[in-house]
Coordinates of all heavy atoms in Angstrom, one line a residue:
A39 N 31.4 -56.8 -9.7 CA 32.3 -57.9 -9.4 C 32.4 -58.1 -7.9 O 32.6 -59.3 -7.4 CB 33.7 -57.6 -10.0
A40 N 32.3 -57.0 -7.1 CA 32.4 -57.2 -5.6 C 31.2 -58.0 -5.1 O 31.3 -58.5 -4.0 CB 32.4 -55.8 -5.0
V41 N 30.1 -58.0 -5.8 CA 29.0 -58.8 -5.4 C 29.0 -60.2 -5.9 O 28.8 -61.2 -5.2 CB 27.6 -58.1 -5.8 CG1 26.4 -59.0 -5.4 CG2 27.5 -56.8 -5.2
V42 N 29.3 -60.4 -7.2 CA 29.2 -61.7 -7.9 C 30.4 -62.6 -7.5 O 30.2 -63.8 -7.3 CB 29.1 -61.5 -9.4 CG1 29.2 -62.8 -10.1 CG2 27.9 -60.7 -9.8
I43 N 31.6 -62.0 -7.5 CA 32.8 -62.9 -7.2 C 32.7 -63.6 -5.8 O 33.0 -64.8 -5.8 CB 34.1 -62.0 -7.4 CG1 34.3 -61.7 -8.8 CG2 35.3 -62.8 -6.9 CD1 35.5 -60.8 -9.1
P44 N 32.4 -62.9 -4.7 CA 32.3 -63.6 -3.5 C 31.2 -64.7 -3.5 O 31.4 -65.8 -2.9 CB 31.9 -62.5 -2.5 CG 32.4 -61.2 -3.1 CD 32.2 -61.4 -4.5
F45 N 30.1 -64.4 -4.2 CA 29.0 -65.4 -4.3 C 29.5 -66.6 -5.1 O 29.3 -67.8 -4.7 CB 27.8 -64.8 -5.0 CG 26.8 -65.8 -5.5 CD1 26.1 -66.6 -4.5 CD2 26.5 -66.0 -6.8 CE1 25.2 -67.5 -4.9 CE2 25.5 -66.9 -7.2 CZ 24.9 -67.7 -6.3
A46 N 30.2 -66.4 -6.2 CA 30.7 -67.5 -7.0 C 31.8 -68.3 -6.2 O 31.9 -69.5 -6.3 CB 31.3 -67.0 -8.3
T47 N 32.6 -67.6 -5.5 CA 33.6 -68.2 -4.6 C 32.9 -69.1 -3.6 O 33.4 -70.2 -3.3 CB 34.5 -67.2 -3.9 OG1 35.1 -66.3 -4.9 CG2 35.6 -67.8 -3.1
A48 N 31.8 -68.6 -3.0 CA 31.1 -69.4 -2.0 C 30.5 -70.7 -2.6 O 30.5 -71.7 -2.0 CB 30.0 -68.5 -1.3
V49 N 30.1 -70.6 -3.8 CA 29.5 -71.7 -4.5 C 30.6 -72.8 -4.8 O 30.4 -74.0 -4.5 CB 28.9 -71.3 -5.9 CG1 28.5 -72.5 -6.7 CG2 27.6 -70.4 -5.6
V50 N 31.8 -72.3 -5.2 CA 32.9 -73.2 -5.4 C 33.3 -73.9 -4.1 O 33.5 -75.1 -4.1 CB 34.1 -72.5 -6.1 CG1 35.3 -73.4 -6.2 CG2 33.7 -72.0 -7.5
V51 N 33.4 -73.1 -3.1 CA 33.7 -73.7 -1.8 C 32.7 -74.7 -1.3 O 33.0 -75.8 -0.8 CB 33.9 -72.6 -0.7 CG1 34.0 -73.2 0.7 CG2 35.1 -71.7 -1.0
G52 N 31.4 -74.4 -1.6 CA 30.3 -75.4 -1.2 C 30.4 -76.6 -2.0 O 30.2 -77.7 -1.5
L53 N 30.7 -76.5 -3.3 CA 30.9 -77.7 -4.1 C 32.0 -78.6 -3.6 O 31.9 -79.8 -3.5 CB 31.2 -77.3 -5.6 CG 30.0 -76.7 -6.4 CD1 30.5 -76.2 -7.7 CD2 28.9 -77.8 -6.6
I54 N 33.1 -78.0 -3.2 CA 34.3 -78.7 -2.7 C 33.9 -79.4 -1.4 O 34.2 -80.6 -1.1 CB 35.5 -77.8 -2.6 CG1 35.9 -77.3 -4.0 CG2 36.6 -78.6 -1.9 CD1 37.0 -76.3 -3.9
A55 N 33.3 -78.6 -0.5 CA 33.0 -79.1 0.9 C 32.0 -80.3 0.8 O 32.1 -81.2 1.6 CB 32.4 -78.0 1.7
F56 N 31.0 -80.2 -0.1 CA 29.9 -81.2 -0.1 C 30.1 -82.2 -1.2 O 29.2 -83.0 -1.4 CB 28.5 -80.5 -0.2 CG 28.1 -79.8 1.1 CD1 28.4 -78.5 1.3 CD2 27.3 -80.5 2.0 CE1 28.0 -77.9 2.4 CE2 26.9 -79.9 3.2 CZ 27.3 -78.6 3.4
W57 N 31.2 -82.1 -1.9 CA 31.4 -83.0 -3.1 C 31.4 -84.5 -2.6 O 32.2 -84.9 -1.8 CB 32.7 -82.7 -3.8 CG 32.7 -83.5 -5.2 CD1 33.3 -84.7 -5.4 CD2 32.1 -83.0 -6.4 NE1 33.1 -85.0 -6.7 CE2 32.4 -84.0 -7.3 CE3 31.4 -81.9 -6.7 CZ2 31.9 -83.9 -8.7 CZ3 30.9 -81.8 -8.0 CH2 31.2 -82.8 -9.0
P58 N 30.5 -85.3 -3.2 CA 30.4 -86.7 -2.7 C 31.5 -87.6 -3.4 O 32.1 -87.3 -4.4 CB 29.0 -87.2 -3.2 CG 28.8 -86.3 -4.5 CD 29.5 -85.0 -4.2
G59 N 31.7 -88.7 -2.8 CA 32.7 -89.7 -3.4 C 32.0 -90.7 -4.3 O 32.7 -91.7 -4.7
G60 N 30.8 -90.4 -4.7 CA 30.1 -91.4 -5.5 C 28.8 -91.8 -4.8 O 28.6 -91.5 -3.6
V61 N 28.0 -92.6 -5.5 CA 26.7 -93.1 -4.9 C 27.1 -94.2 -3.9 O 27.8 -95.1 -4.3 CB 25.8 -93.6 -6.0 CG1 24.5 -94.2 -5.4 CG2 25.4 -92.5 -7.0
P62 N 26.6 -94.1 -2.7 CA 26.9 -95.2 -1.7 C 26.3 -96.5 -2.1 O 25.2 -96.6 -2.6 CB 26.3 -94.7 -0.4 CG 25.3 -93.7 -0.8 CD 25.8 -93.1 -2.1
D63 N 27.1 -97.6 -1.9 CA 26.6 -98.9 -2.2 C 25.5 -99.4 -1.3 O 25.4 -99.0 -0.1 CB 27.8 -99.9 -2.2 CG 28.8 -99.7 -3.3 OD1 28.4 -99.1 -4.3 OD2 30.0 -100.0 -3.0
H64 N 24.6 -100.3 -1.8 CA 23.6 -100.9 -1.0 C 23.3 -102.3 -1.6 O 23.5 -102.5 -2.7 CB 22.4 -100.0 -0.9 CG 21.6 -100.0 -2.1 ND1 21.9 -99.1 -3.2 CD2 20.5 -100.7 -2.6 CE1 21.1 -99.3 -4.2 NE2 20.2 -100.2 -3.8
E65 N 22.7 -103.1 -0.8 CA 22.3 -104.4 -1.3 C 21.0 -104.3 -2.0 O 20.0 -103.7 -1.6 CB 22.1 -105.4 -0.1 CG 21.9 -106.8 -0.5 CD 21.9 -107.8 0.7 OE1 22.3 -107.3 1.8 OE2 21.4 -108.9 0.5
R66 N 21.0 -104.9 -3.2 CA 19.8 -104.8 -4.1 C 18.6 -105.4 -3.4 O 18.6 -106.5 -2.9 CB 20.0 -105.5 -5.4 CG 21.1 -104.8 -6.3 CD 20.5 -103.7 -7.1 NE 21.5 -103.2 -8.0 CZ 21.3 -102.2 -8.9 NH1 20.1 -101.7 -9.0 NH2 22.2 -101.8 -9.8
T67 N 17.4 -104.7 -3.5 CA 16.2 -105.2 -2.9 C 15.4 -106.0 -4.0 O 14.5 -106.7 -3.6 CB 15.3 -104.0 -2.4 OG1 15.0 -103.2 -3.4 CG2 16.1 -103.3 -1.3
G68 N 15.6 -105.7 -5.3 CA 14.8 -106.3 -6.3 C 13.4 -105.7 -6.4 O 12.5 -106.3 -7.1
V69 N 13.2 -104.5 -5.8 CA 11.9 -103.9 -5.9 C 12.0 -102.6 -6.8 O 12.9 -101.9 -6.6 CB 11.4 -103.5 -4.5 CG1 10.1 -102.7 -4.5 CG2 11.3 -104.7 -3.6
G70 N 10.9 -102.4 -7.6 CA 10.9 -101.2 -8.4 C 12.1 -101.1 -9.3 O 12.6 -102.0 -10.0
F71 N 12.7 -99.9 -9.2 CA 13.9 -99.5 -10.0 C 15.2 -100.2 -9.4 O 16.2 -100.2 -10.0 CB 14.1 -98.0 -10.1 CG 13.1 -97.4 -11.0 CD1 12.0 -96.6 -10.4 CD2 13.2 -97.4 -12.4 CE1 11.1 -96.0 -11.2 CE2 12.2 -96.8 -13.2 CZ 11.2 -96.1 -12.6
D72 N 15.0 -100.6 -8.1 CA 16.2 -101.2 -7.5 C 16.4 -102.6 -7.7 O 16.4 -103.5 -6.8 CB 16.1 -100.9 -5.9 CG 17.4 -101.2 -5.2 OD1 18.4 -100.8 -5.7 OD2 17.3 -101.8 -4.1
R73 N 16.7 -103.0 -9.0 CA 16.9 -104.3 -9.4 C 17.9 -104.4 -10.5 O 18.1 -103.4 -11.3 CB 15.6 -105.1 -9.7 CG 14.7 -104.3 -10.7 CD 13.4 -105.0 -10.8 NE 12.4 -104.2 -11.5 CZ 11.2 -104.6 -11.8 NH1 10.8 -105.8 -11.5 NH2 10.4 -103.8 -12.5
Q74 N 18.5 -105.5 -10.7 CA 19.5 -105.7 -11.7 C 18.8 -105.8 -13.1 O 17.8 -106.6 -13.2 CB 20.4 -106.9 -11.5 CG 21.2 -106.8 -10.2 CD 22.0 -108.1 -10.0 OE1 22.6 -108.6 -10.9 NE2 22.0 -108.6 -8.7
T75 N 19.2 -105.1 -14.1 CA 18.6 -105.2 -15.4 C 19.6 -105.5 -16.5 O 20.8 -105.1 -16.3 CB 17.8 -103.9 -15.7 OG1 18.7 -102.8 -15.7 CG2 16.7 -103.7 -14.7
Q76 N 19.2 -106.1 -17.6 CA 20.0 -106.3 -18.8 C 19.2 -106.0 -20.0 O 17.9 -105.9 -19.9 CB 20.5 -107.7 -18.8 CG 21.4 -108.1 -17.6 CD 22.7 -107.4 -17.6 OE1 23.2 -106.8 -18.6 NE2 23.4 -107.5 -16.4
D77 N 19.8 -105.9 -21.1 CA 19.1 -105.8 -22.4 C 18.7 -107.1 -22.9 O 19.3 -108.2 -22.6 CB 20.0 -105.1 -23.5 CG 20.3 -103.7 -23.1 OD1 19.5 -103.0 -22.4 OD2 21.4 -103.2 -23.6
G78 N 17.6 -107.1 -23.6 CA 17.1 -108.4 -24.2 C 16.4 -108.1 -25.6 O 16.2 -107.0 -26.0
K79 N 16.0 -109.2 -26.2 CA 15.4 -109.1 -27.5 C 14.4 -110.2 -27.7 O 14.7 -111.4 -27.3 CB 16.4 -109.2 -28.7 CG 15.8 -109.0 -30.1 CD 16.9 -109.1 -31.1 CE 16.4 -109.0 -32.5 NZ 17.4 -109.0 -33.5
V80 N 13.2 -109.9 -28.1 CA 12.1 -110.9 -28.4 C 12.5 -111.6 -29.7 O 12.5 -111.0 -30.7 CB 10.7 -110.2 -28.4 CG1 9.7 -111.3 -28.7 CG2 10.4 -109.4 -27.2

Side-chain angles (χ1 to χ4, degrees):
V41 176
V42 175
I43 291 178
F45 168 62
T47 303
V49 172
V50 173
V51 171
L53 288 172
I54 296 173
F56 287 88
W57 192 265
V61 178
D63 294 330
H64 70 277
E65 190 174 342
R66 295 276 187 176
T67 63
V69 178
F71 290 103
D72 189 42
R73 48 188 169 178
Q74 301 179 42
T75 59
Q76 300 292 346
D77 292 335
K79 182 179 181 180
V80 180

